[in-house]
Each structure stands twice: as C-alpha cells, then as structure tokens.
Amino acid sequence: MGIAAQMRKGTDMIQHNVGVSGAVAMGVIFIAAKVFLAFPRTMAELGAQAAWLIVLIACLVSPIGWWGIRALLRQHPGSSLLGATEAALGPVLGSVANLMYFTFFFFTTFIVLRQFGANIVATVMPRTPVEASIFVLLLGIAYLAYLGMEAICRVSWLFGPFMLIGLAALLAGGYYTRHETNALMPFWGSGMGVVLGWGLVKSSLLGELLIFGIIAPAFRKADNLNRAVTWTIIISATVTVLSVIAYTFAFPHPASTAIGFPLLEVSRIIIGGRWLQRLESVFLIIWVFSAVIKLGVGLYGAAQCVAQVIGYPNYRHLLFPLAILIYSCSLIPSNLTQAVSWDAEILRNYGWTVSILLPWVTWLASELRGKGGERHDAS
Amino acid sequence: MTPAKFLYGVILVVVAALTPGCWDRREPENLAWVAAIGVDKGPQNDYLFTFQVLAPRALAGQSSGGSGSSGGGPGIVGKEQRGFEVYAVEAPDVVSALAITDGFIGRRLSLLHAKMLIIGEDVAQEGVTPVLAAATRFQEFRRTMVVAISRGSAHDLIEHVHPRLEADPAFWYELMNLWQKETSLVPVHRIHDFVINLEQPGLGASAALVGINQITPEELKQGEDPMPTDRGMPPSPGMALAGKLKRTGGDPVDFAGTAVFRGDRLAGFLTPEETRLTRALRGGFMRTPWSIEDPLDPSKRLVLMVREHRSPRKQIRRQGGRVHIDFRVFLEADIASIPSTLNYTAPNKRSLLERSVEEFVEREGRNVLRRTLNEWGADLFRIGNQLQGTFATNTEWMAFEWGQRVKEATFTVDVQFRVRRHGLTTKPAQHPPEEDER
C-alpha cells in the first residue's frame, strides 16, 4: 500500500481492526468520563434544577455532527475523516480543517489532564505536586496511545463494564443515602429560554464522536461503524443524563452549584451503615482508569491529526513530542478553577464549530466540488 | 527484549516504586484519630475547638479485658479508665486549631474517622455558617459526620462522654445515632443534610440535642415534673430535653430532642415527643414505642409500637402569596402494653383507641406546626421543597421568598391510625378480684 492510500485510511488502520463492542466501550469512556470532572456542577450553574435538561437537549442535538461525518465518509469510502477532509477540501484547506480537529483533541486532552491531575491533588493526595500527578498520568496515557486503537478498544472493553457497574452503584448509593424529592423542580430551572439555549450551545457534549471518524477504516464493515456510534450515543447520553440527575438529587440547587468534585462528593456521602461507607476508594479506581483511557484516546486522536497534516506515516513517532506539549499546556491554567472554566467556556461553548459545523461544511464543499467536477467534465 | 519494552519496564518499576508512598505518606502510627469535635465560642471573637482523640493503647488494653480492676468484666470499662484524651484549642477556625495541636501532641490529629460535630449552644445562637465553612470545604471533614447541638458548652459535654459499656467512644457515637434513628426521638442529621437544609430557601435545619445529665438522685425521687398533669396521669416519657432525662447511671450524656434553626441560627428546641411528631408529619417514621394516654383510664398510659403505614401526604395550595398545607398522616401500630384491664383488642374499644390516637396526633401535630412554622419560621417538613414544584422557573421560586412567608402558612392535619396487631396476648392482664371487690 502506497503512502497516499495509507494516509487516506489513517496511519494506524493498516494493521489494526476494532470490533463493535470494543469501540462502543472506548467511545463511551471517551465521552462519559467527563462526568467525573466538574461537568455536573457546570451544568447546574447554567440550568439550576434543569441541569439534566440541558444535558438531554445537548445529547439529542449532538448526533447531528456525526451525521455530517457519516455523509462525508460515504462520499469517500475507505477513508478516515482526516483523509476524507483532505480529499474534499484539498491539501491546504484540508490541512487547516484537520488542524482544527487536532486542536479539538489536543485541547480536550490537556485541559482534562490538568483537571484530573488537580482533582487527585485536591482530594486524595494533597501534598503531591500537581506536576507529579500529571506526569504519572501522562506515562500511562502515552503508553496506551502508543499501543494503538485496537489495544485501547480492548482495554476499554475490559474495563468498560466495571466503569458502568461502578458508576451505577455509585449513583444508586448516593440516591439511597440522600435524595431531595423535588430536586428537579422547578422544571425549567434557570428559565425555558436559558435551558434551550444552553442545550444547543453545549451540543459538543458528544463532540468526542469525532474519534469514530478517525478510526472508521479500522471497522471491517461500514455497518459496524454505524452500530458502534449508535450504541455509543445511547449509552453515553444515558450515563451523562443520569449522572447529572443523581447529582442533583444528592446535592439539590443551590448546593449543586458549589461542589468542587461532584461525583467524588456523591461517593463520600454514601453511608449504608457501619460497614458500607467510604466508597470513594472504589470511585477513585474507576476515576483514574477512565481518565487514562479518555486521555489516551485524546492523545491518539491528536497524534493522528498531526500525522495526517504533515503526511507522516507513523503517528507513534509523534506521541513523545505531543506528550511533552500536552504536559506543558496542561500547566498553563493558573489554577483548577481556570482549567474548569476553559473547559466549560471554550471547549464546550465553541466545540460544536469543530464537532458539528466543520464536518457538514466539509461535506457541503465535497458535494459542491463533486458536482462542479461533473459539470466541468460535461462541458 | 526490544529496547522499547525494556524502557517501559524500567518506567513501570520506577512509577510503581514511587507512587505508593510519594509525598502523601502518612503512617497510621503517626496519626491520632479524632472521634468527636466540639465548637464553643472563644474569648476573642474566635472559637474553642475541642478534640476527643482516641488513645489506641488504652483501647487495645480495654478490648483485651484489661479493665477488670474497676469494671464489670471484659469489654466493660471502668470509671477511672478512658480510651481517649480531650484537647481544647483556641483558634479562629478548625484547620488552624489542628495545626496548633501539632505543637503539643506528638501525633498528627486526623478528622477522617470523626463521628460527630458537636456545636455549643452559644455558637448555635450566633450562627453556624463560619463553623460549617471548613466542614464542607476541608478535605479531612466528611459530610457523613453527625451534627449535634450541645446544651451549654460542647467542651464540657465531650469531657463527660465516657461510655461505660464501650471502650471506644467513636463506636458509642455510632450506636447512639443508630438507635436514635429508630426511636425518632432525636434527629440524626449528618453535616450533608444539615448544610443542604441551611442552604435551601425556607428549609429549616435541625440537629440532635445533647446535654450533660444534671438530674440528681433527689430530683429523680421528687423532682420537678417536666409536664405537670392535672388528671393524675403519668407524664409522657418524651417531654424532657437532653440534660433533664430522669434517670441515673450509664453514660452521663443525654441525647433527647431537636435543636431547630432558622437560617443559620438556633431558633428553639423541640422535645423528643415533638421530634417524633415532626418525623410523623415529614415522613421516614420508623417503628417506635409511643406512650399514649389511655382513652378510658386517663391515669394510665398505653404503649403502642407505631410505624408509618405509608408516607405522609402534603397537599399544598398556593393562592397569591399565601400557602396552605393539608397534611395527611398514615400510621399503624402493634399494641405493646395495656396497663389497665380494658380490652382494646375488642372491635368497639379498638375503634375508640384508634380515634383517640388520631385526635392526639392531630392536636399535637398542629401544636408542633404552630411552633416551628408560625412561631420560628422554620420549615422542617419540606413544604418548600414541594412548593417549588408549583413554579415554572427557579427565578420565580426565588422571587416568591418562601423563607419570609413560612410564618404565614396555614395548615390542617388529618391522621389515619389503625391498630394492626395485638402483641403476644389477646387480652389485658387480669387479676383476681380482691375480697372487698367480691
């Protein structure tokens, strides 16, 4: 296979194949691991009692971005999203678009890495420098990304059920320990217009679905890709909505807007008698595993984008420099609050331009160029 | 082995070696575990923090039967021995107080296993928000710690927490909370519940009321009656607040009643009986013995094991700024004791008893509602929680200012009570008639 064909498929897709279940597990962890961060609180700050409604609306809108990717991939069978973008927009504009995808993955990775690292310091290891916790996380992340998507999916499939069961137990335990009966009322929380508006703005909530565009050639059948994405959307949306609902029950408004580490605090309040308490130790295992997989996928996506842009056939060689860049950028926010606000106010407010708008613009351009080409041939 | 695999092997070994200990190494033998924290007003606009710290060596000696000299046997703790030490520190906040203890206690105090936060009455009257600021933010505090309000000084109270049957005071706190939950005579509210109730607009926070028992043997024999009756009826056992329980022996600290807050300040106390009624009106009422006036023989009291048949219903009507609540309470009971010779298991008498209990709970329930809602403006019944569902948005709900309207709320109480079982006997104890009765 020539370099050009290899670049269209993506640099990791030659030897590796992924199954539906592994891809679903990977996708769910990549998307839903954000519930372990400040995400439930930031939603509560926007929607008050209707935080869950913002998440639900965002989840319903999010698949529109995937439909754009799917339409583009149908125009360019056998290509990855990156290859198809370059083919549709040409080498210059295509590279610019792929750099935008890179920015999405890179930003997601370093800002989430900083949050996970700082959370560990703030909650369980208060004397450890944040640089050390970030560095240790980064080692695992880089190694996972180095192993490639097949390994990531297999690890995700191995760990995914534990994450879902653990999370379900955590949410049920929190609800059992304490729940405010009417915590979801008033129904429209901050106001109908506000909730609907934020639901649309936060439509990049499932923006991480972009990764499926990048690994599309690794599926043996196109139908498998669609099945994987459908299940990922259903499970991720369910997990994120239920997490925000359970959090709101345990910490009703206005307390929900002031909790630094929402689901960690839910795990800390669980008490089912003398022998069933202090469950945060279980939560921490889920927390760290999810973080490593999520960040590993992010680093993998970022490296694939750069490899595509510079036409380099092996993304693995880019992991080390990218890991150093991610480490450096993760230390740019001066504090945890700033890192959370960058995530909520930059990534989640403008992320839709990359996860939804860009695939559709590319598809439209490809459509127009295709038709233009036909007209040119006819003349 | 490839160089890459060798490199990752080295990295794994280094990471595995460094991460378990790292910067956060704190060995258990270097720590001292706090069982309870007390907070009183300090002399200079600050606080006096009291830490009841477990003494592991003393506890180990007691649990292995080393208390036999003055105690009653293995596990029974003698008066002279105690498995804890009490330290008090004047400081502006609990985190600073902990740091100060490093200056005179070898081990570092840890709050990770603390069971109870006891707030002195003076602090509760001035406002508890400054104390709770650290409790919700400082990572060593757990929101599962139970909150109690001490009648008088929290420091004095902790000095008196000297369980006779338990070596470990932390276990004693757990047991106290466990049984109080069942009897409903004392609210068991953790920091989490307490803070949520403080923050919710209009909701009244409440906490367990604790006090050093001050009843002397003379008072026990003669004593002032906490609820004088003019009908010769024995007083209800649930009318005395903590510190005034008529009893001797045992642990010198009482758990009895509720401290009610309006905002973050203490508004008043509810007796154990009123606490139980509050629970019946709010929900979550467990199976508890309830001493009720005998409807046909007021000189005696029946004992019923009462429990919730189903959760109470609140129907809320909002007209303009006024709120009216119809409470419907569903209780059922087993008969535990009938001191008189009247047979309340017979259908006609049973109906009489049921109606009598319904009237009692309705009357006393209204009294509790009047005190808490109309007098103190504290919503212990989650009315606001249900009321907020009648608004479309949070802005409208906030603008309603339920906290300011609680005192104007009107209500009715309707109780449905059924005697389900008669206990292990079907008839009251009979005694043969005396000679002169024949």
Side-chain angles (χ1 to χ4, degrees), chain B residues 169-245:
Chain B
F171 184 51
W172 182 79
Y173 287 120
E174 282 190 12
L175 287 177
M176 292 304 286
N177 293 326
L178 179 69
W179 304 127
Q180 299 306 338
K181 230 176 183 176
E182 289 202 10
T183 57
S184 297
L185 296 172
V186 174
V188 180
H189 285 171
R190 303 183 185 279
I191 287 179
H192 181 60
D193 308 302
F194 191 76
V195 171
I196 295 283
N197 290 342
L198 279 187
E199 289 180 343
Q200 288 269 72
L203 272 191
S206 58
L209 187 63
V210 293
I212 304 165
N213 191 277
Q214 292 161 344
I215 294 289
T216 60
E218 291 72 36
E219 280 177 316
L220 186 64
K221 284 177 189 160
Q222 307 157 7
E224 75 180 84
D225 193 335
M227 192 191 76
T229 57
D230 54 5
R231 290 174 293 174
M233 186 178 71
S236 162
M239 296 308 289
L241 292 174
K244 289 289 182 185
L245 292 189

Side-chain angles (χ1 to χ4, degrees), chain A residues 2-355:
Chain A
I3 292 281
Q6 191 175 330
M7 295 311 296
R8 274 200 304 277
K9 284 175 80 77
T11 58
D12 184 39
M13 306 308 148
I14 314 303
Q15 317 98 320
H16 292 169
N17 285 296
V18 295
V20 174
S21 47
V24 170
M26 179 275 297
V28 169
I29 294 171
F30 190 37
I31 292 168
K34 62 172 75 73
V35 300
F36 297 123
L37 298 170
F39 172 76
R41 187 190 76 231
T42 54
M43 292 298 111
E45 284 168 356
L46 298 175
Q49 295 89 343
W52 69 279
L53 211 50
I54 293 182
V55 180
L56 183 66
I57 294 166
C59 287
L60 292 174
V61 177
S62 281
I64 294 173
W66 168 248
W67 295 335
I69 296 169
R70 193 177 60 180
L72 188 62
L73 292 177
R74 279 182 182 160
Q75 285 178 334
H76 303 273
S79 294
S80 73
L81 171 66
L82 305 172
T85 303
E86 212 167 275
L89 299 177
V92 178
L93 280 179
S95 293
V96 171
N98 284 339
L99 276 176
M100 290 174 75
Y101 290 128
F102 163 76
T103 309
F104 183 87
F105 284 110
F106 185 78
F107 193 93
T108 304
T109 308
F110 86 72
I111 207 70
V112 170
L113 176 64
R114 172 58 184 268
Q115 289 180 69
F116 269 115
N119 286 2
I120 288 171
V121 171
T123 54
V124 284
M125 296 164 79
R127 282 158 212 85
T128 303
V130 70
E131 294 86 349
S133 79
I134 289 177
F135 179 72
V136 171
L137 273 175
L138 201 56
L139 287 177
I141 293 158
Y143 185 57
L144 197 62
Y146 180 85
L147 292 176
M149 186 45 74
E150 188 174 338
I152 293 175
C153 288
R154 285 178 188 274
V155 169
S156 303
W157 177 234
L158 207 64
F159 169 69
F162 289 104
M163 176 195 155
L164 286 183
I165 292 169
L167 187 60
L170 169 81
L171 299 179
Y175 184 86
Y176 165 78
T177 304
R178 188 188 196 286
H179 64 271
E180 198 77 45
T181 322
N182 291 299
L184 304 184
M185 294 290 167
F187 184 79
W188 287 110
S190 307
M192 190 167 69
V194 177
V195 168
L196 292 175
W198 279 117
L200 293 175
V201 170
K202 297 289 176 186
S203 54
S204 67
L205 194 64
L206 307 188
E208 288 93 339
L209 286 173
L210 283 174
I211 194 66
F212 283 97
I214 291 174
I215 66 167
F219 286 88
R220 290 183 198 278
K221 295 181 203 163
D223 188 43
N224 284 355
L225 173 64
N226 288 329
R227 278 172 53 208
V229 172
T230 306
W231 278 110
T232 300
I233 291 172
I234 292 169
I235 298 173
S236 306
T238 308
V239 167
T240 44
V241 172
L242 285 182
S243 299
V244 172
I245 288 176
Y247 169 64
T248 313
F249 273 121
F251 292 87
H253 185 80
S256 59
T257 61
I259 303 300
F261 311 100
L263 289 200
L264 178 74
E265 278 302 319
V266 172
S267 72
R268 277 166 61 95
I269 63 166
I270 293 174
I271 184 158
R274 186 172 166 79
W275 305 110
L276 190 66
Q277 49 181 304
R278 299 169 192 280
L279 294 186
E280 68 265 28
S281 47
V282 179
F283 174 78
L284 285 171
I285 296 170
I286 301 172
W287 204 23
V288 172
F289 266 91
S290 309
V292 168
I293 293 174
K294 178 182 172 70
L295 295 167
V297 178
L299 177 59
Y300 173 89
Q304 284 284 7
C305 293
V306 177
Q308 182 75 34
V309 170
I310 63 175
Y312 196 71
N314 192 345
Y315 80 97
R316 287 190 174 87
H317 296 168
L318 301 168
L319 288 174
F320 183 64
L322 271 179
I324 292 176
L325 265 179
I326 284 171
Y327 174 80
S328 308
C329 289
S330 69
L331 297 174
I332 292 176
S334 56
N335 51 52
L336 177 58
T337 312
Q338 192 173 41
V340 171
S341 76
W342 283 14
D343 189 348
E345 289 166 19
I346 300 175
L347 183 64
R348 295 297 153 201
N349 284 2
Y350 302 106
W352 63 273
T353 55
V354 178
S355 64

Side-chain angles (χ1 to χ4, degrees), chain B residues 233-259:
Chain B
M233 186 178 71
S236 162
M239 296 308 289
L241 292 174
K244 289 289 182 185
L245 292 189
K246 289 193 159 186
R247 50 96 169 191
T248 60
D251 312 318
V253 169
D254 295 340
F255 280 60
T258 304

Side-chain angles (χ1 to χ4, degrees), chain B residues 255-266:
Chain B
F255 280 60
T258 304
V260 180
F261 285 74
R262 173 168 166 75
D264 76 334
R265 290 173 188 225
L266 185 65

